[in-house]
Each structure stands twice: as C-alpha cells, then as structure tokens.
Amino acid sequence: MDEASSSSSTIRNKNDMKRPQTTAAGLLSPINDDLLHNILSRLPALSFASAACVSKSWNQICSRILSRPKLASALSLHPSPKAAVKEVIEKVLAEPIRPHFVVANIGSGFRLYDIFRLISKKLGSSVPFIISTSSGIIGRDALTHEFKEVKWGDVCGDGSDEDCSIPAKDVNYGILLTVGFVPGLKVDAIPLLRSTKEPREVLLDKFIMDIKDYTASVSGCTFPVAIMMFGDGLINMKPIIDALDYSMPMETVIVGDERGRFLYRSGNESRNVCGSAKYFSDAVALIFARDKDKPSGIGDIQFQIALSKGVSTVGSRHKAVSVKENHCEHSTWLTARREGHPETLDGQQLLNDINDELEDYADSSDLYIGVIKRRNISMGSEKPRMITSLEFHGVVGGDDEYLYVSGVGIKTADYFHFYRSDPESALSSCNNVSLSLKKLKSDEDSKHRRHISEVFGGFMFACCGRGESFFGRVNVDGSPFVENFPGVPLAGIFCGGEIGRGPSRLTGEAHKDSDARCNMHVYSTIYLVLSYTPLPLEH
C-alpha cells in the first residue's frame, strides 16, 4: 500500500472513531413511546421476550403491555404429536405472554411423556406444568379459531376401538394447550405422594401441609385462592377432596378432574418425583396463591365457579338398613326403607319402584344414589369437626338380596335419594349459568367499568356423559361462556369425575339436599371464571 493510500485509510478510521455508536434501542429512539408500544404489542411471545431485554425503556414498555392477566389457549386434532404441538404452541405464543403456568390435556392416542417433552422443549423447564389425559377437549381450534367440544369414544389403550380389532381413526388424537399469565399471583404444582415402601399409605397430611407451607412462603397466609386438581383414575379422590374441604376456607375455590393419568413439573425441583424410587404421585394440585410482593399498580384476580347440574331426583327419600362393603370391587351392597314406611326393601324391589317412577326414562338414564353423609373429619392433631356432604354412587344393579352401588363409605342409617341423568335439567341449568354470566358481562359494560371486574379467561370440567350425545346438539356446555364472552379464551375437558367447590356459585343452584356440601359431582359441568379488577384510577 502506498503512502497516500495509507494516509487516506488512517483519516477514514479516525473519522469512523468520531462517529457515535448506535444500538438497536438508539436507532429507534426517535420513535414515539406510543408507536413503540403499538409495535411491541403485536410481536409474538418469543420476540416480545427478546425485545424486553433490549433496554430499560423497552422493558418498561413491555411491562406496561403485560400489566394485566392473560390466558391463551388452543386445541389441535392433528394425529401427529409433533404437528399438533406445533399448531397449539404457535397459537398460544402468537401474542405477548409470559407463562406463569401451563396446562395440557390430550387424548389417549398420544403418549403423555412424548407430549410433555415436546411442550417443555418449547416453553422451558422452569414453568409449573401439568399434562393429563381426558375423555375430550373443549376450546378453539388453533388453525380455524372455531369453537369445538370434542368428546372421544371409549378406546383401548393401544388406540383401537371397543372390540380392540379395528384401529380407531383419529378419534382420540388431540391436544388442548393453555398458558396463563397471572400477575399478582404465585403458581406451582404440588403432588400428593404415596410411599413405595408403604404403597397403601397416601401422604395426605403432607400434601395439605405442602400446600399451606407453599402458600405461606409466597403470600404470607396459609390458604390459596384456588386449587386445580388432577387425580389418578386408580385412587379414590373422595378422602382427598374431603381433606381439602376440611382444611381450606370456603373462599378457596377447588376444581378439577377426578380420574385420569397425568405428569407434572413443579417450580420446586424437590417436588418432581417422576421416576423416583421413593414415591408415587397419586394426584397433583395446581396452586394459585396471592403474591405478597405483588408489583405496584397491579389489581386483583378473582376465581368464581358456576355449576350446571345434570341429574334430577327420582322417588322418595330412603334410609340405608343393611350395608356391606366389597373392598375388592370397591362397591357397596345395601337394603333400605322408604322414608315413612316400615318394610325393608331389597335391591330388586328398590329398582322396581324407581323404574315405575321413571316410566319412559328407565332405559335412557344413568342411575345414582346421592347419600347424605355426616362424618367427623380431622387432619393431624386437629380436633374432629362434623361435616355433612352429599356423595353420589352409581347404581350397578340389584337382586332379591341387595342393591349394588359403586364406591364405599355408606353407613347404616344414612339417608339417600335416587338420581337420574337428565338432559332437560342440564339444559335448564346451562341457561341459568348463561344468565349469571350475562350479569357479569353487563357489569363489565357499565359506565363505571374501571371499578368492575373484567373476565379474561375460563376453564370447564364437564362430565364425559354430557356433550352432543346427551343434549342432541353440539357445543351446549360451552355456550354460556362463549356467547357472553366471545373473545375470551375458554379451555375445557370432558372428564370422569368433576370436582367443584367454592364460596358461592354464580348460579346459586344446589341439589335437593342443599344443606350438604357436594364437591364431587356427576353429569355436571363446572365453570371456573377468571376475572380481574384493576386498581382504581388515581385523581
């Protein structure tokens, strides 16, 4: 290089050194904050997360964009696990969101662990995550945005139909993915453990204490605001829900699926016992607790439940006379008297009376007895307390000796009514739920909206006996929520036992034995409505 060229290059380098260095934030600094807010709010979640790390000012704008809670949910019926997960992931992450919890529900055609691994790879390993199998999924399609209630038929574990000879075509392939951002709350998954050394010993006291200890550590009080339960189909959830009902104030909402299969991941690594040689997990609870370190300017999230019941009473009240339990079959044999009558009735006589009452409905209704149980319940060293509950037992059959029902825990002198599955009652109940949600909507639309709660999401737990085959038309269970809040995410499942317990149901509906608590339902749909009340504007 000659001297002139070297001199020219040196001058250019010195001039370059004098030029101000620019960053991504510097290049966009002339942009108005409102315009930048508009741009960032349109980014998908992953790009939004990157943008929040660019500078302090960008982070502040991103925090303002996500200052309110958000629920994102989508379903896919694609038969390929990878394709289905890709569809729902892309949909729930299409807008800004910071996952505080993840819930996935799948059909039995997908393997739990495979879907668990695929979702964890995309959403990270630090977010509380529960995945379960269900009898169907309810939500909006990731591709078409169409609202769907998809209920799968009875299938064998290998993906065949009932006679296990013909491969089922896509009937049980599907996934529903829900991601929640809930500022002002802390969320974690806490398992109910059972020792491998003492397989009959469920660590129920530890489960309750783990919930209370976690809640106390993050909120300063011992009671969460909501619990979402997922049980294993091989265990009896009744004692567990009874223990929660006893231990938690009525302000704590409890919803969930009594029977299924699940995997979970807790934010606390010590609770993740999958593959452990010491413990099995019989159930898992997603715990929602108030955040004692809630950022300033954040309002409050409320959880409310509504019940659409699907059974009606049949005949007179009865009193159990002779009761035998068959623990091997987890069933009960009993005789009973009609209230006000002295004679004892065997199973065949009881069923004949009920069939006479049912008339045209005898062949089309599933039959239950709803037993009023007054029991002393205690936890640990606490003093026992009398709790009156209504528990349903499916009627299996009857003969000239006994009436046979599923489940155990019935005692001599317990009173019960017969109940039948009833689509007309269920439809009327859905209409009542819709009216209650309509009132919430009208409150949202009032002139003083800044002081009113705004619904931002919902969950549904519907009995697997409901759906199109029960009502004779599609999307009945979801309609109360969808019609009142058409743009609000709703995630639901068809399940094998609906758990629903809360302070005051939106509908105010109750069973005939309304003095008794009923936390585990049959032929019902439980609606969990999530709303947010912003702080009042300062003047």
Side-chain angles (χ1 to χ4, degrees), residues 80-98:
S80 162
K82 289 184 178 180
V85 169
K86 182 175 184 292
E87 287 180 3
V88 294
I89 287 282
E90 288 181 352
K91 183 61 179 179
V92 299
L93 299 184
E95 297 179 356
I97 194 168
R98 292 170 179 160

Side-chain angles (χ1 to χ4, degrees), residues 395-443:
V395 175
V396 179
D399 57 24
D400 57 5
E401 286 190 285
Y402 297 105
L403 179 74
Y404 304 104
V405 300
S406 62
V408 295
I410 304 172
K411 294 184 177 181
T412 298
D414 281 346
Y415 284 96
F416 64 89
H417 269 102
F418 280 90
Y419 288 80
R420 72 174 181 91
S421 57
D422 185 355
E424 292 181 4
S425 176
L427 186 57
S428 174
S429 192
C430 276
N431 291 335
N432 289 338
V433 172
S434 184
L435 291 173
S436 298
L437 297 183
K438 187 175 183 179
K439 185 178 184 303
L440 282 182
K441 182 181 178 181
S442 64
D443 287 343

Side-chain angles (χ1 to χ4, degrees), residues 470-497:
F470 185 61
F471 290 107
R473 61 179 193 264
V474 299
N475 299 344
V476 173
D477 280 311
S479 61
F481 192 96
V482 172
E483 290 173 1
N484 284 291
F485 307 105
V488 177
L490 174 66
I493 60 173
F494 287 103
C495 50

Side-chain angles (χ1 to χ4, degrees), residues 11-191:
I11 293 172
R12 282 197 302 272
N13 289 336
K14 288 181 179 180
N15 289 337
D16 289 341
M17 292 174 63
K18 292 178 183 179
R19 291 172 186 162
Q21 298 298 307
T22 59
T23 64
L27 286 171
L28 293 178
S29 58
I31 296 180
N32 179 283
D33 277 357
D34 290 339
L35 179 57
L36 185 56
H37 184 287
N38 192 13
I39 293 172
L40 295 178
S41 65
R42 298 171 185 267
L43 293 177
L46 296 180
S47 299
F48 180 83
S50 299
C53 300
V54 169
S55 69
K56 184 177 180 179
S57 62
W58 280 37
N59 184 273
Q60 290 173 341
I61 293 173
C62 289
S63 295
R64 288 200 297 271
I65 292 171
L66 278 183
S67 62
R68 297 189 174 215
K70 189 172 187 178
L71 200 69
S73 183
L75 68 79
S76 170
L77 300 178
H78 200 292
S80 162
K82 289 184 178 180
V85 169
K86 182 175 184 292
E87 287 180 3
V88 294
I89 287 282
E90 288 181 352
K91 183 61 179 179
V92 299
L93 299 184
E95 297 179 356
I97 194 168
R98 292 170 179 160
H100 286 167
F101 69 89
V102 178
V103 177
N105 310 104
I106 64 172
S108 59
F110 288 160
R111 294 180 59 192
L112 271 173
Y113 181 76
D114 290 346
I115 305 298
F116 183 86
R117 181 176 51 82
L118 288 170
I119 294 175
S120 296
K121 185 177 180 181
K122 293 293 184 180
L123 295 179
S125 59
S126 61
V127 182
F129 175 23
I130 296 175
I131 181 172
S132 74
T133 57
S134 66
S135 298
I137 51 179
I138 301 167
R140 292 200 178 274
D141 189 281
L143 300 181
T144 66
H145 202 59
E146 178 187 357
F147 182 78
K148 295 178 178 179
E149 293 183 4
V150 181
K151 192 175 76 168
W152 293 300
D154 293 329
V155 293
C156 304
D158 60 357
S160 304
D161 68 2
E162 288 180 337
D163 66 6
C164 295
S165 60
I166 306 172
K169 295 183 178 180
D170 305 345
V171 293
N172 61 339
Y173 294 110
I175 178 173
L176 172 71
L177 180 65
T178 305
V179 174
F181 170 68
V182 283
L185 297 179
K186 290 289 188 178
V187 188
D188 204 0
I190 296 180

